[in-house]
Structure formats: C-alpha cells, structure tokens
Amino acid sequence: MEKLNKLISTAVPLPIEDIDTDQIIPARFLKAISKTGFGENLFRDWRYTTKGSPISDFVLNNPIYKGSILVAGRNFGCGSSREHAAWALGDYGFKVVISSFFADIFKGNALNNAILPLQVSDDILHQLFQKIEQNPSTEFIINVENQTLTCEDITFHFELDSYKKVCLINGYDDIDYLLSIKNEIEEYERRVEIG
Amino acid sequence: MSAAGGTGYFVEYAGNAITSLSMEARMTICNMSIEMGARGGLIAPDEITFAYIKGREFAPKGKDWDDALAYWHTLYSDQNTVFDKEFTFDAADIQPMVTYGTNPGMGIGIDEKIDIDQHSDSNQKSLTYMGLQNGSSMLGLPIQNVFIGSCTNSRIEDLRQVADFVKGKQKAANVKVYIVPGSVLVSEQAKNEGLDKIFEAAGFELRQPGCSACLGMNEDKIPSGEYCVSTSNRNFEGRQGQGARTILAGPLMAAAAAIEGKIVDVRDYLN
C-alpha cells in the first residue's frame, strides 16, 4: 500500500449527508476481478447522465475543485459494506476523506486501503466547507504522525487508532504489518515452545 | 434511530413483543440493525430458536444436540447487564412504516405525513429525487412496481404471508410485481407448497432466488422515475436502477400496494 504521512492538498467539497456506498460506487459496477479501475465510476450517477455525459454542476466535474482530500457531510459511507467504495475513492486519487461522522464498516475499509477517514466536529466541518467555498485553493495540511489537520487558522487534533496509524505511515496492510514483526513473532513462538 | 443511530454499537433486541416473534421475523429485525449503522443485531435464543434449528441439515444430532442445547441455554445477557444505550418502544404504537426518502432512516408511520427539516439540503435533495412534497401523506401514492424479496424479507414465512393475502386477488393492471425467494431452498419450499401457483394467478412474476431487484445487479431493475415498493433493506438513490424511486415497506404492505396500484394501509384489508 501507499504510505500516508504528511499531505498538503486542496480539497473537494461534497456537503451532502448520509452519502451511501451505492452513490460512491453503484452496484452495477462491482463485477470486476481486480481492485483497480473503480475510480472511473466513483459517484457515477451524480457525475454522469444516463447517456454518459458529465453533469457540469457536480463537484468532480468542476475544474475549480481538485485535490486528494474529499470533504463530505455527516455519516459518510453508510449502507452496504462493499469494500469497492474505498477502492473507488482511492483509485480516483483521494487519500483522505474528512467528515463529521463515518459509517463504521466504511471506516475500517478505508483504513485497510490507505485512505484516512478523518473525523472532525460538526462545527469544524462547517468551517472547512466555508473556507473552500470562499477560496477553492485553500490548502489543507494533514500530519498523520501528529494526528493534526491544519487549514489556515484551524488546527484540529483527530483521533486515529494507534495500530492503523503505524500501517498508514508505513504503507502496511494487515499482512505487511505482521511480516514487519516476523522476528518478534518467531521469537515468541520459540519462547512458548520452550516454556 | 436514523441511518447512523446505531453506529459503533451491536444491538440486542428484547421484550415480549420480540420474543413472541417467529425466527423469520427476528432475522428481519436483526438484519435491519445494519441500516441504523450498527455492526449487527441479536436476540437471545429461546424455545422458538431451538425448535427452528432442531432437525435441520447441519444442526447437531443426538448427544451433540443435547450438549449444544445446554450451552445455548446459557447465551443470555445477565439480568443486571448495563447497556451503553437503551431505547424502549411500545409495539402497540408502531404502525406499518414506509420510507419517503433515500435512506432507511427517512421513514414514517403510514398515518403520518412527510416532515423533513427544510433547512437541510440533503433532505431537500432526497425529496426532489423521490418526487415527493414535504407535508404530504404517502397514502394513495400511485406506484408502478413492487419488489417482494431480498435477504431482509423473502423467507418462507414472508412468502406464505403474501400468498395468503393475495390468494384469489389480482395485481393492479399497471403494476409490475417481482416476487423473489431469498434462496434456492426457499424457492423449492414455496413451489412444494404451491405458492408459486398463487403468485402466478395474481400476476406476480416469480424470479430467480437471490438479490434480484434489491440492488440492480442483474436484469431485475426498476426503470428511472418509477416508484417501487420494496421489502428490501435499502432505498438509496439508484439502488434498484438508475433513477429508480424506492419505498421500503414490509411484505404485507407491499402485497397490498401490488393489488391496489397505490400505497395503502394494509390494516384496512386484514380481518
């Protein structure tokens, strides 16, 4: 997996609440045998008409907004547990999703795919949307090690599971992590056998 | 409870309204825990549970059964268990529910009127997608499709209940009705009981068992702009097909809508 430690980027605003995984990636695009290529159909039905032409007022089709951070309304990622939702966001190029609340299973899927679900308060989320609206070039600085989000005058300390933090910073998936402590595991096994 | 009220929790359902339910009904309730954000839902095992399991293909037999039963009898929350959050509802207050929006939390009792927070863009967007007005009732809304199926509500008991209701009746002329058993086993069971003939006579289409029109992955899709009363668990935008407008309801409410061609209160048709 790709490492994620320090990120400086502009952000894409999507101020809609309860964005479900059927919006992130509709079910008809789930039939695939690899994890890549889902980005093309990220937010498919908000992004394109049924005939396939881009819907100009959708934020991903607006060239003013770009960056590898998605800022979304409360309860992001609810609905089905499809891991494809995380794959689609990652494949499109998002590395961080900021919201004031995440659906539980989506949160796990995101962390397992090197995407940071960064939870802020409702108040901070509101301020972030305002900043992007006033100036789409507003830079967000995210530091995973220190667990901080900085955006102009805002500095926010976010929660992050200590194990998942190690994984993000080192680009580990669960197996990579186990392999990284292989020596300790073997050492433990030896000790237990002797005992 | 909203679509996020259970996030971070595992839900235990209890009380005499719950313990008087069949296994099928209990499974539906537990299944829907996910729709309020929870990891899962459970109901402590009792005689109804044990009777449901006994004699099934993979159930323990002989002494193994006795051992298992003894263990299962211990699987209760203690009397003095402290829960992180507790909610109490009186089942008598719960009317047949329908959804009007684009997440399962956006539901009302059939006697109620749509009442959204009009300052919320998300709610407005949702109502626009559904083609509904704030303040209006769902009763009488003409519908074009009915889907009775999905992991939520297509067990044999659901199919029996629907068959019992539609026997001798005809679906409304302008409504397309999909009835889809949850599994091959249930499909066979329904055929053995002759339920398929009842559905056929009512003008219902018995489709291949599985997910079907719950999420529009195969050809069972709802056309754009049309309403579908669905017994599945999710009413998200485009879930049943691009532009499809889903109204979630229980199997009997869906069956009544299929017959009348509009949303009705099934209680008016019972007894």
Side-chain angles (χ1 to χ4, degrees):
Chain A
M1 294 204 314
E2 240 177 272
K3 293 179 186 180
L4 180 64
N5 192 357
K6 201 166 178 196
L7 178 70
I8 301 174
S9 172
T10 51
V12 179
L14 197 50
I16 300 171
E17 291 177 7
D18 300 312
I19 295 177
D20 59 82
T21 56
D22 277 84
Q23 307 319 313
I24 298 171
I25 181 88
R28 63 186 187 281
F29 300 113
L30 302 186
K31 290 172 227 168
I33 51 166
S34 78
K35 292 183 185 183
T36 55
F38 289 101
E40 262 175 61
N41 296 312
L42 177 71
F43 297 116
R44 174 77 199 199
D45 295 339
W46 289 351
R47 205 166 138 200
Y48 298 105
T49 63
T50 42
K51 296 203 167 66
S53 43
I55 297 169
S56 59
D57 64 357
F58 184 61
V59 70
L60 294 191
N61 295 323
N62 186 340
I64 296 173
Y65 300 107
K66 39 185 169 307
S68 50
I69 300 170
L70 179 69
V71 186
R74 193 172 174 79
N75 198 23
F76 185 84
C78 61
S80 105
S81 53
R82 63 187 70 159
E83 195 177 3
H84 311 65
W87 299 344
L89 288 161
D91 192 63
Y92 183 87
F94 287 119
K95 295 182 190 306
V96 177
V97 181
I98 300 175
S99 178
S100 55
F101 196 82
F102 288 94
D104 212 16
I105 296 172
F106 171 81
K107 194 174 177 177
N109 287 340
L111 287 165
N112 287 341
N113 285 281
I115 296 169
L116 172 67
L118 195 162
Q119 187 165 328
V120 296
S121 63
D122 283 317
D123 179 45
I124 296 276
L125 186 70
H126 181 68
Q127 291 180 45
L128 296 177
F129 279 133
Q130 277 184 330
K131 284 187 186 296
I132 305 170
E133 195 183 334
Q134 282 157 12
N135 176 14
S137 311
T138 304
E139 272 190 349
F140 286 57
I141 303 165
I142 289 161
N143 188 315
V144 178
E145 177 74 52
N146 299 334
Q147 296 174 228
T148 53
L149 159 69
T150 315
C151 179
E152 296 176 344
D153 54 328
I154 297 175
T155 301
F156 184 82
H157 185 268
F158 58 86
E159 296 295 319
L160 180 59
D161 178 88
S162 57
Y163 163 63
K164 283 299 172 189
K165 180 170 164 177
V166 172
C167 290
L168 282 176
I169 291 171
N170 293 290
Y172 291 160
D173 63 20
D174 291 342
I175 302 295
D176 294 328
Y177 177 78
L178 284 179
L179 290 174
S180 79
I181 53 166
K182 191 167 169 256
N183 290 343
E184 286 102 310
I185 295 171
E186 282 171 352
E187 169 59 27
Y188 173 80
E189 288 295 328
R190 264 195 301 275
R191 249 189 304 131
V192 170
E193 262 172 51
I194 293 164
Chain B
M1 292 297 299
S2 87
T7 305
Y9 296 88
F10 208 98
V11 185
E12 176 168 357
Y13 301 91
N16 54 8
I18 294 291
T19 50
S20 65
L21 294 172
S22 65
M23 278 311 287
E24 279 92 346
R26 294 178 188 189
M27 287 180 201
T28 299
I29 289 179
C30 291
N31 178 307
M32 290 302 287
S33 308
I34 312 302
E35 307 319 318
M36 54 173 152
R39 276 288 168 105
L42 64 88
I43 292 167
D46 59 13
E47 294 312 317
I48 293 178
T49 320
F50 306 141
Y52 179 87
I53 297 172
K54 194 168 188 179
R56 286 187 180 254
E57 191 179 352
F58 299 108
K61 307 274 182 317
K63 186 179 180 304
D64 288 345
W65 170 260
D66 297 336
D67 292 348
L69 202 59
Y71 174 59
W72 293 340
H73 272 291
T74 67
L75 300 178
Y76 292 91
S77 295
D78 297 332
Q79 280 295 329
N80 55 354
T81 299
V82 179
F83 291 91
D84 290 324
K85 251 190 199 177
E86 278 187 62
F87 295 91
T88 306
F89 302 95
D90 186 343
D93 297 340
I94 302 174
Q95 328 163 16
M97 301 282 290
V98 288
T99 62
Y100 56 86
T102 54
N103 74 57
M106 301 175 83
I108 47 174
I110 191 65
D111 288 345
E112 296 171 334
K113 293 191 163 58
I114 301 171
D115 182 18
I116 59 160
D117 170 8
Q118 295 195 288
H119 299 297
S120 155
D121 291 345
S122 304
N123 284 346
Q124 288 289 0
K125 181 176 177 295
S126 182
L127 270 199
T128 306
Y129 178 85
M130 290 299 290
L132 296 170
Q133 307 298 324
N134 196 32
S136 65
S137 162
M138 294 298 285
L139 275 172
L141 180 79
I143 51 109
Q144 296 77 38
N145 305 272
V146 170
F147 168 59
I148 298 170
S150 90
C151 56
T152 315
N153 278 306
S154 62
R155 300 181 183 87
I156 189 66
E157 180 187 273
D158 305 311
L159 302 188
R160 282 179 194 145
Q161 208 176 39
V162 170
D164 196 42
F165 184 80
V166 304
K167 195 168 188 172
K169 297 190 181 87
Q170 264 291 310
K171 72 166 184 73
N174 57 334
V175 176
K176 194 176 174 69
V177 187
Y178 288 143
I179 185 144
V180 189
S183 66
V184 174
L185 212 64
V186 171
S187 184
E188 283 168 1
Q189 207 174 348
K191 282 178 185 160
N192 289 339
E193 295 181 17
L195 306 184
D196 55 331
K197 298 286 182 291
I198 296 170
F199 297 139
E200 211 172 284
F204 289 18
E205 278 184 58
L206 190 67
R207 308 287 294 180
Q208 290 291 318
C211 296
S212 180
C214 173
L215 81 168
M217 260 181 105
N218 68 358
E219 62 274 24
D220 299 349
K221 288 188 178 68
I222 307 306
S224 186
E226 292 191 3
Y227 289 108
C228 178
V229 178
S230 172
T231 69
S232 66
N233 54 350
R234 293 175 182 148
N235 53 345
F236 302 134
E237 274 183 39
R239 169 97 178 169
Q240 297 196 285
Q242 271 179 284
R245 291 162 164 173
T246 305
I247 297 162
L248 300 179
L252 276 181
M253 282 289 281
I259 303 301
E260 295 298 335
K262 60 185 183 190
I263 306 280
V264 293
D265 185 343
V266 70
R267 290 172 299 180
D268 298 340
Y269 298 76
L270 302 173
N271 306 323

